Amino acid sequence: MAGVPDLTLDDLEKPQISFDDFRAQTEEVITESDRKLLFYFYLKTDCLNLVRMLKNPEVQLTQFGNLTEEQLKDLITSARTMNFNVHRYPAFMSIFAREYDYNKDKPNFFAKDKILFDFYQFAIQCPNKFISEWYKLNLNLTNMLTAFIARKYGWNVSDYIYGDNEVNEMIRNNNTKDFDLRHEYDYVTDIMNIVDTDNPVDKERLIDAFKWNWLDEATFFDVFSIEAVFAYLCKLEIIDRWQHLEPEIGKARFKEIIENLRAEAKVPEEFVRK
């Protein structure tokens, strides 16, 4: 870590090191136990690649996680023939692949949302406290943002919340403005302010800035640890995403999120006139 450049949010425009370069450097020096922890980081890419391949078996993957294109194809084939091995691939991925054809045409099924929820549930079980807390934060953040957006537009919040953890139970069972979450999570006010931001690109940047700051605080005293390496990868992932996301594309992406929420909701007329 001493030999790599410090990252700041200014690097969103021009990074000093690429994601691929840093990955190659870490692969050369990390221990086997550290490699098992970084497995969780790249597993998210595996999950998203799995969805892409299920939707289009001929898709050419441009970014690899832990699993190659051939391994993902093997996972899908094994799952569909009920011959999958939980020691070869994470069981939740095999179950997702096996059930995909049955679920894909259901009106409230969003493949990417479902696989990411399953992934977060899996990653939260990581024995490393920092990594576990990082993915718990991401899951809670996703559901909080979804809940506040749904409430803002008058939709049934419970229809869009995955899982039965403490945060989701509070969201489902509380009618106060903040779902009574501020008593348990000091960052809820920040999340509410993000939801109230009008510009969709600014929303995206605020969400990423919130995550960035969390990573900085969580690794402040762990500069040369595997946690610092993991946080660095997370930051590079943020930078890499913005490198490929022009403002208009960012606007379209956020609109897509809203449209997913809107799919089965009864939206008041004033919100659909445009």
Side-chain angles (χ1 to χ4, degrees), residues 170-182:
M170 293 175 72
I171 288 172
R172 290 190 181 100
N173 298 317
N174 196 289
N175 293 321
T176 61
K177 183 178 180 181
D178 66 351
F179 299 100
D180 207 30
L181 291 166
R182 265 186 284 211

Side-chain angles (χ1 to χ4, degrees), residues 178-236:
D178 66 351
F179 299 100
D180 207 30
L181 291 166
R182 265 186 284 211
H183 290 115
E184 300 293 333
Y185 301 91
D186 56 7
Y187 55 79
V188 171
T189 299
D190 293 332
I191 304 306
M192 295 175 72
N193 290 336
I194 290 172
V195 171
D196 287 337
T197 302
D198 292 328
N199 186 294
V201 179
D202 288 344
K203 272 190 174 76
E204 289 281 322
R205 289 191 180 275
L206 286 168
I207 291 168
D208 282 345
F210 173 84
K211 293 179 179 180
W212 190 292
N213 289 337
W214 187 93
L215 291 166
D216 277 344
E217 292 177 5
T219 59
F220 186 79
F221 295 108
D222 297 312
V223 180
F224 303 112
S225 64
I226 188 59
E227 288 82 2
V229 174
F230 196 97
Y232 201 91
L233 281 168
C234 293
K235 291 178 179 180
L236 281 174

Side-chain angles (χ1 to χ4, degrees), residues 248-260:
E248 286 304 310
I249 298 175
K251 184 175 181 180
R253 183 175 181 275
F254 193 78
K255 182 178 179 182
E256 180 183 359
I257 295 171
I258 294 295
E259 291 302 326
N260 282 344

Side-chain angles (χ1 to χ4, degrees), residues 27 40 77 89 123 154 218 247:
E27 288 292 327
Y40 288 89
T77 300
Y89 307 113

Side-chain angles (χ1 to χ4, degrees), residues 70-85:
E70 290 72 22
Q71 288 173 316
L72 285 168
K73 289 179 178 178
D74 177 60
L75 184 158
I76 294 170
T77 300
S78 299
R80 286 173 171 168
T81 58
M82 299 291 288
N83 188 33
F84 59 86
N85 184 335

Side-chain angles (χ1 to χ4, degrees), residues 234-251:
C234 293
K235 291 178 179 180
L236 281 174
E237 183 181 38
I238 292 173
I239 291 173
D240 184 72
R241 187 169 73 89
W242 280 101
Q243 281 293 105
H244 298 89
L245 196 62
E246 294 297 327
E248 286 304 310
I249 298 175
K251 184 175 181 180

Side-chain angles (χ1 to χ4, degrees), residues 8-254:
T8 71
L9 287 172
D10 293 335
D11 291 313
L12 293 177
E13 302 299 333
K14 190 176 181 180
Q16 300 180 59
I17 185 172
S18 73
F19 181 88
D20 290 338
D21 286 345
F22 184 71
R23 180 175 185 176
Q25 289 182 35
T26 58
E27 288 292 327
E28 295 176 358
V29 297
I30 59 175
T31 65
E32 185 58 32
S33 60
D34 289 343
R35 195 182 308 278
K36 290 178 180 178
L37 294 177
L38 295 188
F39 167 86
Y40 288 89
F41 177 84
Y42 298 113
L43 184 62
K44 181 180 177 181
T45 298
D46 291 328
C47 291
L48 297 176
N49 280 338
L50 176 62
V51 171
R52 294 179 64 204
M53 190 169 288
L54 285 165
K55 289 183 176 180
N56 177 13
E58 304 303 318
V59 69
Q60 295 295 311
L61 302 181
T62 57
Q63 183 177 6
F64 291 101
N66 302 293
L67 303 178
T68 65
E69 185 174 334
E70 290 72 22
Q71 288 173 316
L72 285 168
K73 289 179 178 178
D74 177 60
L75 184 158
I76 294 170
T77 300
S78 299
R80 286 173 171 168
T81 58
M82 299 291 288
N83 188 33
F84 59 86
N85 184 335
V86 295
H87 299 294
R88 187 169 24 160
Y89 307 113
F92 78 90
M93 294 179 70
S94 295
I95 294 170
F96 180 89
R98 185 184 69 199
E99 297 178 349
Y100 176 77
D101 288 339
Y102 173 76
N103 289 323
K104 65 180 181 179
D105 295 323
K106 291 183 178 179
N108 290 324
F109 179 76
F110 302 106
K112 182 179 176 181
D113 292 346
K114 179 61 167 67
I115 196 67
L116 286 179
F117 170 75
D118 291 344
F119 162 71
Y120 288 139
Q121 290 289 87
F122 176 83
I124 286 170
Q125 304 306 314
C126 176
N128 180 282
K129 182 179 179 181
F130 164 77
I131 295 174
S132 175
E133 289 297 319
W134 166 246
Y135 287 118
K136 182 178 180 180
L137 174 79
N138 276 266
L139 177 59
N140 288 343
L141 180 61
T142 298
N143 280 328
M144 286 179 188
L145 286 167
T146 300
F148 287 126
I149 290 171
R151 173 170 283 180
K152 182 176 181 178
Y153 290 103
W155 304 330
N156 184 1
V157 175
S158 296
D159 290 345
Y160 306 103
I161 301 299
Y162 285 103
D164 298 315
N165 62 18
E166 179 185 36
V167 168
N168 294 352
E169 288 303 310
M170 293 175 72
I171 288 172
R172 290 190 181 100
N173 298 317
N174 196 289
N175 293 321
T176 61
K177 183 178 180 181
D178 66 351
F179 299 100
D180 207 30
L181 291 166
R182 265 186 284 211
H183 290 115
E184 300 293 333
Y185 301 91
D186 56 7
Y187 55 79
V188 171
T189 299
D190 293 332
I191 304 306
M192 295 175 72
N193 290 336
I194 290 172
V195 171
D196 287 337
T197 302
D198 292 328
N199 186 294
V201 179
D202 288 344
K203 272 190 174 76
E204 289 281 322
R205 289 191 180 275
L206 286 168
I207 291 168
D208 282 345
F210 173 84
K211 293 179 179 180
W212 190 292
N213 289 337
W214 187 93
L215 291 166
D216 277 344
E217 292 177 5
T219 59
F220 186 79
F221 295 108
D222 297 312
V223 180
F224 303 112
S225 64
I226 188 59
E227 288 82 2
V229 174
F230 196 97
Y232 201 91
L233 281 168
C234 293
K235 291 178 179 180
L236 281 174
E237 183 181 38
I238 292 173
I239 291 173
D240 184 72
R241 187 169 73 89
W242 280 101
Q243 281 293 105
H244 298 89
L245 196 62
E246 294 297 327
E248 286 304 310
I249 298 175
K251 184 175 181 180
R253 183 175 181 275
F254 193 78

